[in-house]
Amino acid sequence: MSETMALQEKNYVDVMRPWLKVLPQFTRQSLFNPSLRHYGTGESAHWPIQSNFNVFAALAVLGTSPHLEDEKPAMAREEIIRTALDFLRYGLATHLSGHDVASDGKQWGHHWISVLGLERMAHGVNAIREYLSDDDRMALRRVLISEADWITDNHPVRGCMVNSEGPNVPESNIWNGAVLMRTAAAYPDAPRVKEYLTKATSFMLNGLSHPLDAGCETMFYGKPVRKWHVGFNYTPNWSLDHHGYLNVGYMVICLSNLAMLHFYFKDLGLTPPPELTWHLQEVWAMVKKCTFADGRLLRIGGDTRARYTYCQNYAIPSWMLAQDVLGDSDAAGFEAGWLKIMKQEQDYTGTGGFYGRRLDNIRRINYYYYSRLESDAILCLSYGAYWHRRFQLLAPTTPAVVNMPMSWQDEYHGATFERSGNAVRSFVWHGGQGPTGVIAPADESSMGEWQLNLHGEVLSTQTPALNYGNSDWHELFHGGFVNVGAADWCERDPLGEGEGVYAYARHQIAVAALPDQETMLVLQYATISKEITLDAIKGFGVKVPNDLFNGSKRRYMTADGTCLELAGNPGCADDRHLAADRVCVDGKLAVFALYGADGLTIHRPAKAQIILHKPHGPWLSSLYADEICGKVVLENQRYTPGTVVLDDGFAVAVSGDLKAECDAELSADSTVRQATFTRGNKTWGFAANFGSTTASVAVPAGAFVLAGSSELAPGGALLWQQSLI
């Protein structure tokens, strides 16, 4: 092992080692076979089975590391290896092909996701192979061949771009294909190896699959791709509609499973199969642009899970794949940056675990989920430790490159994305929690958030949600974009018998990213469409995370020099009203009221409000954020149809400069809204028609139109620019 490899492995082991202190609280003895132990809840459901295998693999890597005793570990090497083997044996014994049962009295296996834990633990098997008994090896063979036979005979290769219309399953195609390839490589004497490999090719080529694959003549094993092709899972512009929204996180999960197979083959001295890299470059290019300089994912379509846990951690194997296959040195920088953030989270928790403090509400309410999240974190660190032990990869650098210019749009998701200078700016209508925008410095990932961001909120009393919206139109131009559309607020879980899930407010939003590499303008208009009781109305809605990742402190400065230093998660409602039309956050993000607000309010709820967006169950939060608002109404009131509840405009800039001129023109007899924003020697004008009839907007002499038209159809918008002499 080279000195560089040793140092890189040690960096991971140093973060893994403290986790041994919390392992005993997750370890259980089998109720049905006292000779077996397992991690977590131990049921036959796929999360507990995956979690058990996750921790097996992590302990296998840690227990065989030459760096384990660099500092005194909480467990001796022998106990770590013994525990790893116990967890492995529990998982293998409780499979349908075995003779034991899991903690719920059932066995696991033979379904679409049953092999995922087996795939994710494969490097752990390689790490601890010399400690395996003959019985362990036979049990592994039994389980893998049993699963491979079932997949070959029963599990179809599928694909559909739109999640609501069919199975959008790129990641499961990949892991099911991967286990067939791995089983064939491990047991070449198995009687059905040729069948495994044929179906595996189909699975893999229908993983990162694209519409053009239907006519592609590239050959694999004597057949063109078009004959292997079953369906495309990615849109023409390489976005992914997994779980029904633009899901950057699951693009990462796809890459992570490719990484596991790639390094498994290399570890055995075998050449990775060529199907593994099909469309890898295209998907990696999209994922890379959706990454902050320190490795934090820039999830332009939002997230429905706990922030910065599952998909984020599986970026580690994805980055290592990009280094080894594509030679991308920025991926090494992402890797180093994220390792520091994981250490920051661990230090914040203070017990050696990762999420016991920030996600304490999940720990207290749902141990099943919490134990799974901890297992993902320690597993993903083990990829870094083991693969750096085995392979010479690129030397990490921090930070990775910040300026990665990108101008991108996606028709299906109503998405627009501009990355230039030190700003990342986007707006997506088909996001994880409804329409969402992002604006943040590319070198300050802690400012990124996407839950109902860059628009107001109209919150009813009964689990309100903003439905997926539709972009009436969006247009890219050099250095920016315009995106206009509408969405409906609805009640997800009405209480009354016979009470339907209905829309109660129409929310129209117009967004412009200016060609100045820093500013976004947002105009919005919302009306009640069905009589409703509201608990809150919040205008503007600029989310500013204020949690451990920024040291739980934000500094707000107004133009007159007023300064507020606000700690995150105050534990009680702590709204601060500013008699000002602009405020700067930490000298890096400036917010300006254009119209519709009497000053600004920093809305600070009593507890963390960035939630897991689950169909049912209790609200679980994973991050605290301040909210910069204009109008704020926190009174329980009844509203009738036609009531205008939001009518405002604002600007946000990646800048510490509060010098700008803002103006607006509000017509009393129409719902056309116009605003101007002047900074330096340029003025931009932005107008949107929130009404039902066509209207005209005058463009000043000497100005030129960047997007849209001066004849505004309903749902139309116009952006113009004028240089000042």
Side-chain angles (χ1 to χ4, degrees), residues 24-35:
Q25 68 183 261
F26 294 109
T27 303
R28 303 285 187 272
Q29 188 175 50
S30 170
L31 297 175
F32 299 96
N33 183 345
S35 68

Side-chain angles (χ1 to χ4, degrees), residues 6 16 49 73 142 163 192 220 252 286 308 350 361 364-365 390 416 454 466 495 503 513 531 543 596 603 688 700 721:
M16 295 177 69
I49 292 298
R142 165 177 52 79
N163 184 82
R192 303 184 66 184
F220 282 90
V252 170
M286 185 67 192
Y308 309 126
N361 73 113
R364 289 183 291 104
I365 294 172
R390 298 287 293 144
T416 44
L454 297 190
L466 187 56
L495 298 176
E531 188 173 346
K543 303 294 192 299
H603 176 57
Q721 176 180 311

Side-chain angles (χ1 to χ4, degrees), residues 455-700:
H455 59 73
E457 299 178 37
V458 183
L459 304 179
S460 75
T461 57
Q462 298 183 51
T463 54
L466 187 56
N467 282 343
Y468 298 140
N470 293 305
S471 178
D472 291 328
W473 70 277
H474 50 84
E475 182 176 332
L476 296 178
F477 54 85
H478 182 67
F481 62 79
V482 169
N483 199 336
V484 186
D488 290 311
W489 287 92
C490 69
E491 295 191 328
R492 296 199 315 169
D493 301 303
L495 298 176
E497 184 175 329
E499 184 178 11
V501 176
Y502 56 82
Y504 61 81
R506 184 71 166 168
H507 194 160
Q508 297 173 269
I509 308 168
V511 182
L514 304 183
D516 63 351
Q517 299 190 339
E518 64 178 39
T519 308
M520 291 178 74
L521 308 181
V522 182
L523 314 180
Q524 61 180 345
Y525 192 84
T527 56
I528 299 300
S529 49
K530 188 181 190 304
E531 188 173 346
I532 189 70
T533 300
L534 297 183
D535 264 349
I537 303 170
K538 297 184 287 186
F540 296 5
V542 180
K543 303 294 192 299
V544 182
N546 194 357
D547 215 312
L548 76 102
F549 301 113
N550 60 282
S552 295
K553 184 174 69 175
R554 290 293 186 193
R555 184 171 178 266
Y556 295 91
M557 181 75 73
T558 63
D560 65 2
T562 300
C563 181
L564 295 175
E565 288 195 355
L566 301 179
N569 206 346
C572 60
D574 184 35
D575 287 7
R576 305 297 182 93
H577 184 73
L578 306 175
D581 69 347
R582 59 198 67 190
V583 67
C584 187
V585 187
D586 289 342
K588 296 183 177 182
L589 195 71
V591 179
F592 305 82
L594 300 177
Y595 64 89
D598 180 18
L600 299 174
T601 295
I602 304 174
H603 176 57
R604 289 163 51 78
K607 59 184 180 180
Q609 79 281 35
I610 304 303
I611 61 171
L612 282 65
H613 195 64
K614 290 290 188 181
H616 303 288
W619 295 112
L620 301 175
S621 61
S622 65
L623 198 71
Y624 186 87
D626 298 337
E627 304 176 22
I628 302 177
C629 302
K631 173 182 182 179
V632 178
V633 178
L634 302 178
E635 299 174 11
N636 182 277
Q637 296 185 50
R638 194 75 177 165
Y639 290 83
T640 56
T643 305
V644 177
V645 288
L646 289 175
D647 186 2
D648 58 43
F650 60 100
V652 189
V654 176
S655 172
D657 185 4
L658 289 175
K659 295 179 181 178
E661 295 181 18
C662 308
D663 198 6
E665 181 178 328
L666 310 178
S667 174
D669 59 356
S670 77
T671 48
V672 173
R673 297 292 180 259
Q674 302 181 59
T676 59
F677 184 82
T678 302
R679 191 194 284 277
N681 66 349
K682 286 186 173 61
T683 293
W684 290 275
F686 189 35
N689 185 356
F690 296 130
S692 58
T693 59
T694 299
S696 296
V697 174
V699 177

Side-chain angles (χ1 to χ4, degrees), residues 255-256 259-260 263 313-322 380 383 387:
L255 298 182
S256 75
M260 294 165 205
F263 287 111
N313 287 329
Y314 282 93
I316 292 174
S318 304
W319 294 328
M320 299 179 81
L321 178 70
C380 291
Y383 294 122
W387 292 341

